[in-house]
Structure formats: structure tokens, C-alpha cells
């Protein structure tokens, strides 16, 4: 691994059962990408995994959550179609909803499993890895000396201290929610990040009585206060939210008729008044934490900051300083998103290639986050606070979707888009949005930021009529107007109708 570990492995060679060029610890998205890439140039490689040999995305994350959201969207469209003159009697079969979620989830996970099954058995080790003080990897009854180590151990749900014991079986997390065999009658969701918002709205639309809690008056991690307030307004038409609330205690209580225990949450609301929520279960969506605490990476000289993130991290490759150690994906807690984990795993697997032959290091992705609630929430590039701290001279282009043509036609006219642009360079710095089709608007803006397109260059591309994306053009024109650059000035009237 490093000089220390190489010397140690020589002194304990009689105890070492295997010597490898590369060891990958963790078989999620990042780990699997790293293994596949590194295997192209070295046969002397192992991948060690504790738990399921699939990915968070396929098994407990992106795919099952979108399956639940898809069911919820069907129910919502049917129930809210009266304004279009379409009347429907909606009946939701909770068991069938969850059965389809699980069946399709297992189908997606099956693709990953088949990929893993195609790998040589002698290169896969099931067990919990620990890096000892000699720099050797202990797993099961083996000691493994690795020239290079890639750590891709992922993340786990964070649950406040004591809640597991207090809530017992009434507590569920994003790791367990998709194992429900039926829809509960009522649910509290704690946390308004991406996971909390998406699941709270989905269960609400499927007929579950949901109350959403958060300790601050913010949803979706939004840092632009105008967008945040608009998101609260739009989502508040459906969701019961207790924002800016303080949870005092949680627990369970048994009903007089000896039914299964129900959960309770004692809290103070935004006005400071004591309240209690009671219901069937509590979904804790208070974030995820990286799984590196008990791995022993400190024995290799790795230091962590106050948020458990490794210091001296190369965001391109995941390498820690000059150590032959790479920490990638959710394990480094840099940007815990699937596409980032995929790129980091690919880059780390390329970087450890022998003599770096055939290595292709993907550039770090710009920040891009999407919350798949309705209306959707998106953040692209630099946030408004980051821009303000940088002291760049910037302007903010704005557009409301409340009366935007296609949005109103579709009955999804609630939203707001802000585009932040540098006044000196005419380049887009970032954007924040709540509104319809935010996922597509965000991708267009991400391409613009990545390729350093000017506002004029983006406006020179076609915008088809009538589309929701015409709202993007309106915001760009607002940016252009504020730039006060003569050769870019346009006087065309808005043609959104």
C-alpha cells in the first residue's frame, strides 16, 4: 500500500494468504465501476463486499423510489383530472402497488447480479474488510496485501440516537421502506431532503395520511430563499408539513384494543407550541452517512474532517494525497449522487492501471441535483450563497411558471426558475428551480455550464413552441437584459403563447 504497509507485509509474509495489485472494498456503483475498469489491465485484483452484491440505486434507491413515484403519479392524475372534465373513481390497491415496486426493483437488481456473477469467483470475497495497523486487509480468515486500495463502501441511513430502540418496528428508513407489503394508513416522514420529499409526496398521493417534519423552514436543500418559499407554496397544496419544528421525543404506545403499537412524535411547532403526532409508522429520512468509520483507514494515515469526509481528496480520482488509496462514491461524501459515484469509480479504476496505461480520468462533474417530487426541484452549478461568497458580479434571471403557456395548459403551472450569470463573462454560473420539467431544464443548463456557453450562445439555440422549456428562454432573456451589453440587446416580445 504505502512504504509502511509494504515493509509490514514482508515481515508477516507467512501470515499473508494473498498478495494483489488492486483491492476494491465495496461493490456498489462506484466499486463495481472501479473493478471493471481496473480488471482491464490487471488480473491480480480482488473485490471485497459486505452485504448484497447490488447497488443502492437498483435495490433501495433511485429505481424503487421512482417506481413508487410512478404509481403515485398515476393515482394523482386520475384523482385531479376534474378540472379537465375527466371524472374518475380511483381505488388504490396498496398490496399491488408494493408488489409491482418490488418485482420491478428485483428485475433491475437482477441485471446487476448477473454482471457480478460473470466475474471470476476467485476475485470476489464476501465479508467485512478491516485495514489493520500493518496496512493489510483482514477479511474472514485471510490477510490481503494490496499495492493499491479503492474504498467504495457506500453509505447508510442516519437515524438519531435512541430512535431505533424507542420506535422499534414502527421505524422505517430508505433502506427498508420498499419492503413494505402494503401501504400504511398513516406515516410521519422526518426530513425534507430529496428522499423525504419524494417519498412523502408519493405516499400522500397513494392515500396515506402523511405529515412531513423538518427542523428548519427549508425543503429540497434549497439555498435560494425565493425558490425555497415557492417550493413550500407549491408542495403545500398536497403535503401536510411541520417545518421549522423541533422534535422533543419519539416512541410507541399500545392501543386499548391490543392492536399493533402505534408511533408518536412529541414536537414543538413553528410557533413554539407543544404538539403530538400519532400514526402507524415513522420514516426517518434525515440523510445518509458514509460507511468508513470502522474500516481502519486511519491506519493508512487518512484524516477525516468534522463531517466524516476524508481530507486531501483528489475529486477527479478519489486519491488521498500521495497514498495508494482511493476513496470514491458515497464513501467520500463529496457529492453522494449516482452519476458522480459512477464517474469516480471509473476514474479510480483507470488511475490504478499498471503504468496508468489506457487510463482515462473523467473530469469532475459540476454539481447537479434533482428532486423528483412534483413540481420538481433542481440545482445546477454554483449555489447563490457560493456565488455571493465568491464576490463575483452576477445577475439573476427569473421566470415564473405560474402563467407560462404550456405549463398552464398541462395544469402544472406552479414554479420559479432563477439563473445566475457572471456579468463580466456572460457565462452561466448556476441555477435553482422548482417547477415542471425541471429535470430537463437542469440538464440543458448543466451542459451550458460544463461547456462554458455564453448566455447568447444558449439563446441562439432553438426553443420549440409551445413547450415548458420556453420558460428557460424567458429566464435567459431576463439575464441578457440585466447584462446591459449593447451587442446582445434584444427587443423581441415574449412569444410564449
Amino acid at each position: 500500500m504505502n512504504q509502511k504497509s509494504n515493509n509490514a507485509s514482508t515481515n508477516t509474509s507467512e501470515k499473508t494468504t494473498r498478495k494483489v495489485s488492486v483491492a476494491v472494498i465495496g461493490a456498489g456503483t462506484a466499486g463495481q465501476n472501479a473493478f471493471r475498469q481496473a480488471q482491464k489491465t490487471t488480473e491480480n485484483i480482488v473485490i471485497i463486499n459486505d452485504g448484497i452484491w447490488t447497488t443502492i440505486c437498483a435495490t433501495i434507491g433511485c429505481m424503487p423510489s421512482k417506481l413508487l413515484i410512478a404509481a403515485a403519479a398515476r393515482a394523482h392524475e386520475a384523482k385531479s383530472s376534474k378540472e379537465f372534465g375527466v371524472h374518475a373513481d380511483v381505488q388504490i390497491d396498496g398490496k399491488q402497488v408494493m408488489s409491482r415496486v418490488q418485482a420491478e426493483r428485483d428485475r433491475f437488481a437482477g441485471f446487476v447480479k448477473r454482471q457480478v456473477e460473470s466475474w471470476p469467483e476467485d476475485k470476489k470475497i464476501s465479508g467485512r474488510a478491516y485495514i489493520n495497523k500493518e496496512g493489510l486487509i483482514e477479511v474472514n480468515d485471510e490477510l490481503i496485501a494490496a499495492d493499491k486500495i479503492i474504498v467504495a463502501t457506500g453509505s447508510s441511513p442516519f437515524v438519531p440516537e435512541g430512535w431505533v430502540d424507542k420506535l422499534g418496528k414502527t421505524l422505517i428508513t430508505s433502506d427498508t421502506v420498499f419492503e413494505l407489503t402494503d401501504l400504511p394508513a398513516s406515516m410521519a416522514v422526518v426530513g425534507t431532503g430529496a428522499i423525504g420529499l419524494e417519498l412523502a409526496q408519493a405516499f400522500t398521493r397513494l392515500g396515506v395520511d402523511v405529515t412531513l417534519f423538518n427542523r428548519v423552514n427549508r425543503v429540497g436543500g434549497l439555498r435560494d430563499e425565493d425558490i425555497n418559499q415557492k417550493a413550500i407554496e407549491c408542495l403545500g397544496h398536497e403535503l401536510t408539513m411541520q417545518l421549522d419544528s423541533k422534535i422533543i421525543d419519539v416512541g410507541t404506545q399500545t392501543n386499548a384494543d391490543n392492536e399493533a403499537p402505534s408511533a408518536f412524535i412529541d414536537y414543538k411547532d413553528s410557533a413554539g407550541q407543544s404538539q403530538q403526532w400519532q400514526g402507524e409508522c415513522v420514516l426517518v429520512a434525515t440523510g445518509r452517512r458514509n460507511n468508513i468509520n470502522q474500516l481502519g483507514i486511519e491506519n493508512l494515515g487518512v484524516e477525516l474532517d468534522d463531517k466524516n469526509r476524508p481530507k486531501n481528496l483528489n475529486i477527479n480520482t478519489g486519491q488521498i494525497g500521495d497514498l495508494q488509496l482511493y476513496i470514491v462514491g458515497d464513501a467520500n461524501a463529496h457529492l453522494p449522487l449516482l452519476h458522480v459515484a459512477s464517474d469516480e469509480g471509473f476514474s479510480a479504476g483507470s488511475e490504478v492501471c499498471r503504468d496508468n496505461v489506457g487510463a482515462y480520468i473523467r473530469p469532475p462533474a459540476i454539481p447537479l441535483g434533482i428532486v423528483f417530487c412534483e413540481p420538481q426541484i433542481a440545482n445546477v452549478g454554483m449555489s447563490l450563497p457560493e456565488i455571493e461568497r465568491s464576490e463575483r458580479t452576477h445577475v439573476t434571471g427569473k421566470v415564473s411558471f405560474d402563467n407560462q403557456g404550456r405549463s398552464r395548459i398541462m395544469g402544472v403551472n406552479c414554479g420559479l426558475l432563477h439563473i445566475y450569470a457572471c456579468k463580466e463573462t456572460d457565462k452561466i454560473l448556476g441555477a435553482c428551480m422548482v417547477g415542471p420539467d425541471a429535470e430537463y431544464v437542469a440538464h440543458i443548463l448543466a451542459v451550458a455550464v460544463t461547456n462554458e456557453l455564453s448566455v447568447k450562445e444558449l439563446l441562439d439555440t432553438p426553443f420549440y413552441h409551445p413547450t415548458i422549456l420556453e420558460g428557460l428562454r424567458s429566464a435567459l432573456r431576463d439575464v441578457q437584459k440585466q447584462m446591459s451589453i449593447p451587442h446582445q440587446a434584444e427587443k423581441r416580445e415574449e412569444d410564449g403563447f
Side-chain angles (χ1 to χ4, degrees):
M1 243 308 291
N2 51 25
Q3 190 63 45
K4 177 180 178 181
S5 63
N6 286 338
N7 291 340
S9 62
T10 300
N11 296 334
T12 61
S13 58
E14 68 278 7
K15 297 181 181 179
T16 302
T17 59
R18 198 182 304 203
K19 176 73 171 67
V20 299
S21 298
V22 180
V24 180
I25 304 175
T29 297
Q32 291 193 21
N33 270 9
F35 178 81
R36 283 194 297 266
Q37 189 65 13
Q39 194 181 29
K40 294 177 182 178
T41 58
T42 178
E43 290 295 317
N44 194 15
I45 182 173
V46 294
I47 182 167
I48 306 163
N49 188 60
D50 181 30
I52 59 174
W53 285 79
T54 58
T55 64
I56 287 177
C57 171
T59 310
I60 54 176
C62 317
M63 306 315 284
S65 65
K66 301 310 166 287
L67 285 162
L68 188 73
I69 290 169
R74 293 293 180 93
H76 178 71
E77 288 174 6
K79 289 190 290 185
S80 60
S81 60
K82 292 180 181 179
E83 66 174 296
F84 296 91
V86 179
H87 302 270
D89 180 19
V90 181
Q91 297 182 359
I92 298 171
D93 184 333
K95 291 182 178 180
Q96 186 175 348
V97 168
M98 297 310 300
S99 177
R100 180 178 185 270
V101 168
Q102 291 158 7
E104 288 297 309
R105 179 270 314 271
D106 292 346
R107 179 174 171 271
F108 288 120
F111 297 145
V112 180
K113 289 180 180 178
R114 285 194 287 276
Q115 173 75 42
V116 171
E117 288 168 357
S118 70
W119 299 343
E121 288 299 320
D122 64 342
K123 300 187 186 305
K124 296 181 291 186
I125 301 175
S126 291
R128 176 165 295 186
Y130 175 74
I131 302 170
N132 65 25
K133 292 183 178 180
E134 287 72 41
L136 303 176
I137 302 171
E138 299 178 5
V139 56
N140 302 333
D141 297 325
E142 286 191 89
L143 281 176
I144 297 175
D147 294 330
K148 300 179 180 182
I149 298 176
I150 299 174
V151 173
T153 46
S155 61
S156 300
F158 170 76
V159 178
E161 186 176 356
W163 283 27
V164 172
D165 293 333
K166 290 182 176 182
L167 289 169
K169 293 181 179 180
T170 67
L171 184 148
I172 54 180
T173 69
S174 57
D175 278 8
T176 60
V177 64
F178 302 112
E179 298 306 316
L180 293 173
T181 57
D182 199 351
L183 296 172
S186 56
M187 171 188 291
V189 177
V190 182
T192 60
I195 295 172
L197 277 185
E198 290 179 1
L199 295 181
Q201 186 180 61
F203 279 114
T204 296
R205 290 181 165 188
L206 289 166
V208 180
D209 183 3
V210 177
T211 301
L212 182 60
F213 291 88
N214 202 48
R215 61 185 176 83
V216 294
N217 191 44
R218 182 180 300 126
V219 297
L222 290 166
R223 299 295 174 180
D224 184 315
E225 190 53 34
D226 289 342
I227 302 292
N228 180 56
Q229 289 303 317
K230 189 64 179 181
I232 292 171
E233 174 194 331
C234 296
L235 292 165
H237 296 314
E238 289 184 67
L239 292 176
T240 299
M241 295 187 282
Q242 290 292 340
L243 303 178
D244 201 18
S245 60
K246 182 179 180 181
I247 294 178
I248 306 300
D249 197 13
V250 299
T252 61
Q253 52 196 14
T254 303
N255 300 321
D257 51 6
N258 293 322
E259 292 182 356
S262 61
F264 70 83
I265 296 176
D266 290 331
Y267 67 98
K268 288 189 176 181
D269 61 22
S270 59
Q273 299 297 311
S274 296
Q275 307 284 354
Q276 185 180 77
W277 171 90
Q278 295 182 27
E280 190 171 329
C281 58
V282 176
L283 171 59
V284 179
T286 48
R288 299 180 68 90
R289 300 292 186 271
N290 54 346
N291 297 326
I292 58 174
N293 277 341
Q294 299 178 359
L295 185 59
I297 58 172
E298 68 277 4
N299 292 324
L300 300 174
V302 178
E303 295 182 43
L304 303 177
D305 65 16
D306 58 354
K307 295 184 178 179
N308 220 38
R309 299 173 301 195
K311 296 181 180 179
N312 302 315
L313 174 74
N314 182 319
I315 61 173
N316 287 60
T317 64
Q319 186 172 10
I320 306 301
D322 58 359
L323 297 175
Q324 293 303 308
L325 172 70
Y326 303 76
I327 303 180
V328 295
D330 287 9
N332 68 35
H334 169 234
L335 283 174
L337 299 167
L338 179 130
H339 68 280
V340 176
S342 177
D343 286 350
E344 289 178 354
F346 182 95
S347 294
S350 292
E351 182 73 2
V352 299
C353 294
R354 184 176 59 255
D355 300 324
N356 215 27
V357 175
Y360 170 65
I361 310 304
R362 295 186 177 181
I366 67 160
L368 171 62
I370 299 171
V371 183
F372 292 92
C373 53
E374 289 187 2
Q376 295 175 340
I377 291 171
N379 290 285
V380 182
M382 297 178 69
S383 69
L384 183 57
E386 288 173 330
I387 294 169
E388 291 172 342
R389 286 194 298 268
S390 73
E391 298 184 351
R392 286 178 171 87
T393 304
H394 68 282
V395 300
T396 300
K398 305 177 182 181
V399 67
S400 169
F401 287 86
D402 292 1
N403 285 304
Q404 196 269 336
R406 182 65 183 274
S407 300
R408 193 166 185 86
I409 289 170
M410 302 297 292
V412 291
N413 51 307
C414 190
L416 181 65
L417 166 63
H418 284 182
I419 298 176
Y420 319 120
C422 179
K423 199 166 185 178
E424 284 79 12
T425 64
D426 191 35
K427 303 292 175 63
I428 296 170
L429 300 171
C432 186
M433 175 181 178
V434 57
D437 283 357
E439 59 183 299
Y440 306 115
V441 173
H443 275 91
I444 292 172
L445 289 168
V447 169
V449 175
T450 300
N451 292 281
E452 298 185 349
L453 299 180
S454 68
V455 173
K456 181 179 186 303
E457 287 171 328
L458 199 51
L459 272 170
D460 283 344
T461 61
F463 287 83
Y464 203 81
H465 175 75
T467 62
I468 290 173
L469 288 174
E470 287 179 301
L472 169 60
R473 180 181 59 188
S474 297
L476 290 169
R477 285 179 173 172
D478 190 30
V479 169
Q480 191 180 65
K481 180 180 179 181
Q482 296 178 63
M483 291 291 191
S484 299
I485 301 175
H487 76 272
Q488 290 186 6
E490 290 191 8
K491 298 181 179 179
R492 291 179 296 178
E493 295 296 323
E494 179 57 58
D495 54 358
F497 295 98

